[in-house]
Amino acid sequence: MNIKERIEKLRQLMQANQMDAYIIPSFDAHQSEYVAEHWKSRQWISGFTGSAGTVVITLEDAGLWTDGRYYIQAEKQLENTGIRLFRMKDPGVPFYSEWLADVLKEGSHVGFDGNVFSIDMVRKMEEDFKAKNIELKMDQDLVGDLWEDRPEIPKGLIFTHDVKYAGKSRLEKLSELREEMKSKGANTFILTSLDDIAWLLNIRGEDVPNSPVAIANVIVAQHTCYLFIDACKVSSSVKLELEAEGIELKASEEIQTVLENLSDADAVMLDTSKTNINLYNAINSTAKKIESTNITTNLKAIKNEVEINNLKWCEIKDGLAMVKFIKWLKDAVHKTEITEITAEEALEDFRREQEGFVGPSFDTIAGYKEHAAMMHYKATKESQYTLKNEGLFLIDSGGQYYDGTTDITRTIVLGKLTEEQKRDFTLVLKGFIALSSVKYLYGATGANLDVLARQPIWQYGLDYKCGTGHGVGFFLNVHEGPQSIRNDSNDVVLEKGMVITNEPGIYLEGKYGIRTENMMLVVEDEKTEFGQFMKFEAISYCPIDLAGINSDMLTESEKQWLNNYHQEVYSKLSPYLNEEEKAWLKEETKAI
């Protein structure tokens, strides 16, 4: 079936089940950003491959709601499907439930699979639909009924993440969690987000591409901890290790029974943005519910000293891979045929040479010329360009290592640039330096600081339709909350020990894209009578291409920052390079 045929079949099922609209999100049953193939229902019904977006099908119309990272990509992938693009971050564009409330008749029925919708999402719909008495039907996975060759739920083996990397044992983490539960009046904690589960129990898995997590759920009580997981995923040795520390393994489906058997003496804590509505509805109605952000989300966001030290070494290894790759690329691009895909594969090969490398931390974005204007471009054999000795090549990539997760972007000059390209490369650098070098008073959030990265770009009437930075997990998800740097209402204070990216950019459709990205550690600066000041420490080590910079646009302090950063890059990486590589890196990090 092509996309139009799939939509028509879905409409027939909708009519048979008395539904006037059906909603297909990007999420799995754990509200994950990146999901296993089994849960890519939105991609299957629409053909849109981005990681974020929601498709809504009515009996007469269809729409995809996605954010600014994917506007260009979505326009291309939705061509001739009958699905309209709703640019959800643009002014005046309604949220999908608001749109449905407007177009549907009073008393209509809206369907979706309650396993993949959070409590918050359902409540938003209920509020938007209330005026028209629109009813929700959340017990049917219609796409699953149509998708004949749907992949199974993954059954990869889990493995333990050694405390020499994690810094804290699972018993220490459970003790911290239980103390927090007690302080909030809870005796039961439901945990469904996969990266939180992996962090809490010091386990990792292979169920989601690029993210070392396992499909599971957890319930923590004051004296018990249940891990709900398919038994075939747990080896006998791991089972013994977990059980020896008081973690009881149960079949995945048993979570429903445990929730139903809670009593009025139980106070259940859960995150309404991470827990699906079907699990919420399974909780015994007499139990008290305490709604709060997952305690583990905040605990894991602040890296301990062991994690930080591991991550800094991990970043050196990753920087070595990047340097070897950039040198190879610049040497080879005018001698041999290199495509976007072969460049991507070459970088992964350089990472595989590094100790402790497990795999990529996300699908590499390797975009030449106008392909780089699509923020989350993924090269295919059909779409890929051959690189030439001219223009800009953007590569955004990262690695999963036992001792950390990395995420770095460099825009590489392959040959002659226009004045406009050099101007925009330098504007991105100016924003990048402004955020990298800021000193701020404790209590600031990413929303307070986002303007620093945008201001130089705004001065030229340009902007980028995405956030400036996101948290990064530790051998976990490359996107991790709760902290972020973006121009929205995020009120999470940036705490010492948090890791966050800095990645401003300029993206001109049909022309080129430019992004420079480092990972940064939040650290303390001086303390005065006015309070504790904070700053960022760059922990990604890789040169920024001097050939792209118009140095006349940089202030003396910006030049000094860049020179200091490049001096640190050379100092950190050169001991592990051969003489030829050292000489190349010396030139790439020379003072301007």
Side-chain angles (χ1 to χ4, degrees):
M1 289 186 287
N2 62 34
I3 299 301
K4 284 187 173 180
E5 289 171 336
R6 291 173 183 178
I7 293 171
E8 184 53 37
K9 291 280 189 184
L10 178 61
R11 285 182 171 135
Q12 291 171 12
L13 273 182
M14 287 162 56
Q15 287 179 311
N17 288 277
Q18 298 180 316
M19 295 178 188
D20 301 287
Y22 196 78
I23 308 173
I24 308 106
S26 301
F27 302 112
D28 59 13
H30 308 271
Q31 300 302 295
S32 307
E33 177 185 13
Y34 298 113
V35 302
E37 294 294 324
H38 174 86
W39 279 290
K40 291 187 177 180
S41 298
R42 189 226 59 224
Q43 178 176 316
W44 185 85
I45 198 69
S46 68
F48 169 63
T49 60
S51 67
T54 300
V55 166
V56 177
I57 309 292
T58 70
L59 296 176
E60 294 85 25
D61 204 351
L64 166 73
W65 278 254
T66 193
D67 61 50
R69 296 172 294 169
Y70 294 111
Y71 289 168
I72 301 172
Q73 176 183 337
E75 287 280 11
K76 294 179 183 296
Q77 291 183 328
L78 295 179
E79 283 181 8
N80 303 315
T81 64
I83 301 173
R84 296 192 286 146
L85 174 61
F86 287 79
R87 298 173 177 241
M88 60 184 285
K89 293 294 184 180
D90 287 5
V93 175
F95 192 67
Y96 63 81
S97 53
E98 296 167 347
W99 179 77
L100 281 172
D102 183 53
V103 301
L104 293 180
K105 296 177 182 178
E106 183 156 352
S108 294
H109 294 85
V110 173
F112 54 86
D113 177 7
N115 288 314
V116 295
F117 272 79
S118 72
I119 301 160
D120 284 348
M121 294 162 72
V122 173
R123 287 175 177 171
K124 164 72 173 161
M125 282 190 279
E126 288 173 337
E127 182 63 28
D128 290 341
F129 295 162
K130 185 167 55 177
K132 276 193 170 179
N133 295 314
I134 295 172
E135 293 186 25
L136 301 179
K137 302 182 76 170
M138 42 191 164
D139 59 347
Q140 287 176 279
D141 177 10
L142 296 189
V143 174
D145 293 340
L146 292 174
W147 191 354
E148 293 180 356
D149 56 348
R150 184 178 193 173
E152 291 185 353
I153 295 174
K155 300 187 187 307
L157 281 173
I158 65 171
F159 57 97
T160 57
H161 191 220
D162 199 292
V163 73
K164 72 180 181 182
Y165 301 122
K168 290 183 180 179
S169 70
R170 59 180 67 92
L171 289 179
E172 290 177 283
K173 293 177 179 181
L174 282 165
S175 178
E176 287 182 37
L177 170 59
R178 286 174 172 134
E179 284 298 314
E180 288 289 324
M181 288 166 54
K182 188 176 179 181
S183 72
K184 296 176 185 296
N187 66 359
T188 305
F189 179 65
I190 302 173
L191 190 59
T192 64
S193 50
L194 303 184
D195 59 329
D196 287 86
I197 291 168
W199 175 86
L200 177 66
L201 300 183
N202 283 353
I203 58 173
R204 298 295 187 268
E206 50 187 33
D207 286 346
V208 179
N210 306 322
S211 297
V213 296
I215 306 299
N217 287 302
V218 160
I219 292 179
V220 179
Q222 283 302 317
H223 303 291
T224 55
C225 175
Y226 298 123
L227 172 62
F228 301 92
I229 191 167
D230 194 318
C232 71
K233 297 161 64 69
V234 187
S235 68
S236 56
S237 60
V238 171
K239 184 173 187 286
L240 285 171
E241 182 180 337
L242 293 172
E243 289 180 340
E245 296 189 343
I247 296 156
E248 185 176 338
L249 275 64
K250 288 182 172 288
S252 298
E253 62 274 12
E254 287 188 72
I255 189 170
Q256 298 275 345
T257 304
V258 172
L259 293 175
E260 290 166 3
N261 288 336
L262 294 173
S263 70
D264 56 6
D266 291 310
V268 185
M269 178 172 279
L270 52 88
D271 188 333
T272 55
S273 70
K274 295 291 186 181
T275 310
N276 71 59
I277 190 66
N278 282 357
L279 283 183
Y280 181 81
N281 290 337
I283 299 171
N284 189 318
S285 60
T286 65
K288 180 183 178 183
K289 299 181 184 72
I290 301 172
E291 299 179 359
S292 171
T293 300
N294 280 333
I295 297 168
T296 47
T297 298
N298 294 317
L299 290 176
K300 81 177 187 306
I302 300 173
K303 310 310 178 202
N304 61 56
E305 285 302 314
V306 173
E307 288 176 313
I308 290 169
N309 290 334
N310 278 321
L311 180 57
K312 287 182 177 181
W313 170 237
C314 175
E315 292 281 12
I316 288 173
K317 294 185 294 182
D318 205 64
L320 290 169
M322 284 292 297
V323 162
K324 290 171 184 283
F325 165 74
I326 296 172
K327 179 183 183 300
W328 165 81
L329 180 63
K330 289 202 169 199
D331 288 346
V333 70
H334 62 284
K335 299 176 185 175
T336 187
E337 181 177 296
I338 300 172
T339 67
E340 292 168 336
I341 290 177
T342 55
E344 173 185 334
E345 291 171 343
L347 177 51
E348 185 172 331
D349 287 342
F350 282 114
R351 281 198 169 100
R352 289 196 181 281
E353 294 175 0
Q354 303 302 319
E355 181 185 6
F357 178 75
V358 176
S361 57
F362 56 96
D363 286 344
T364 298
I365 300 163
Y368 184 45
K369 295 189 174 180
E370 73 270 16
H371 282 170
M374 292 184 274
M375 295 180 207
H376 281 219
Y377 169 74
K378 176 64 178 171
T380 65
K381 288 184 178 179
E382 294 73 31
S383 73
Q384 67 176 328
Y385 282 162
T386 298
L387 278 53
K388 298 179 180 177
N389 198 24
E390 63 183 26
L392 296 168
F393 175 59
L394 183 154
I395 188 152
D396 184 353
S397 66
Q400 294 287 8
Y401 301 79
Y402 292 118
D403 46 7
T405 298
T406 66
D407 183 4
I408 186 169
T409 306
R410 289 296 183 264
T411 304
I412 302 166
V413 179
L414 297 182
K416 186 176 180 181
L417 300 183
T418 67
E419 287 304 309
E420 181 190 41
Q421 286 172 322
K422 291 193 76 167
R423 180 203 73 183
D424 289 350
F425 189 102
T426 310
L427 290 177
V428 170
L429 176 60
K430 287 172 74 70
F432 175 84
I433 292 173
L435 185 56
S436 297
S437 57
V438 66
K439 176 180 178 178
Y440 61 93
L441 194 61
Y442 174 78
T445 70
N448 300 142
L449 303 181
D450 180 84
V451 66
L452 295 170
R454 294 181 194 269
Q455 184 61 26
I457 296 167
W458 283 352
Q459 291 298 313
Y460 283 75
L462 301 166
D463 191 26
Y464 48 96
K465 299 298 183 184
C466 62
T468 301
H470 57 84
V472 181
F474 184 83
F475 190 34
L476 277 173
N477 292 353
V478 74
H479 291 164
E480 178 180 277
Q483 74 274 23
S484 66
I485 300 175
R486 54 192 315 118
N487 54 354
D488 62 10
S489 57
N490 186 314
D491 60 356
V492 175
V493 172
L494 295 171
E495 301 281 357
K496 175 185 175 183
M498 284 182 170
V499 174
I500 201 160
T501 64
N502 171 10
E503 48 183 308
I506 290 174
Y507 311 94
L508 301 181
E509 185 174 358
K511 297 176 75 172
Y512 53 83
I514 298 165
R515 177 162 66 251
T516 300
E517 176 188 15
N518 273 357
M519 285 170 54
M520 308 186 301
L521 179 67
V522 180
V523 297
E524 291 179 341
D525 197 75
E526 67 176 332
K527 189 173 185 178
T528 72
E529 67 269 29
F530 297 101
Q532 178 67 59
F533 285 86
M534 310 293 289
K535 62 182 180 180
F536 296 120
E537 176 187 341
I539 56 172
S540 299
Y541 312 113
C542 180
I544 296 165
D545 203 327
L546 298 175
I549 300 171
N550 179 349
S551 59
D552 293 338
M553 294 175 62
L554 297 180
T555 66
E556 288 305 311
S557 64
E558 288 169 338
K559 290 178 184 178
Q560 190 60 53
W561 185 93
L562 183 61
N563 290 338
N564 290 343
Y565 174 69
H566 274 163
Q567 187 176 19
E568 182 178 22
V569 168
Y570 185 81
S571 173
K572 296 279 190 187
L573 302 185
S574 60
Y576 308 100
L577 298 172
N578 63 35
E579 292 306 314
E580 181 184 344
E581 292 164 340
K582 279 184 189 178
W584 180 87
L585 183 59
K586 191 77 172 176
E587 180 66 17
E588 291 293 308
T589 56
K590 67 184 179 183
I592 62 171

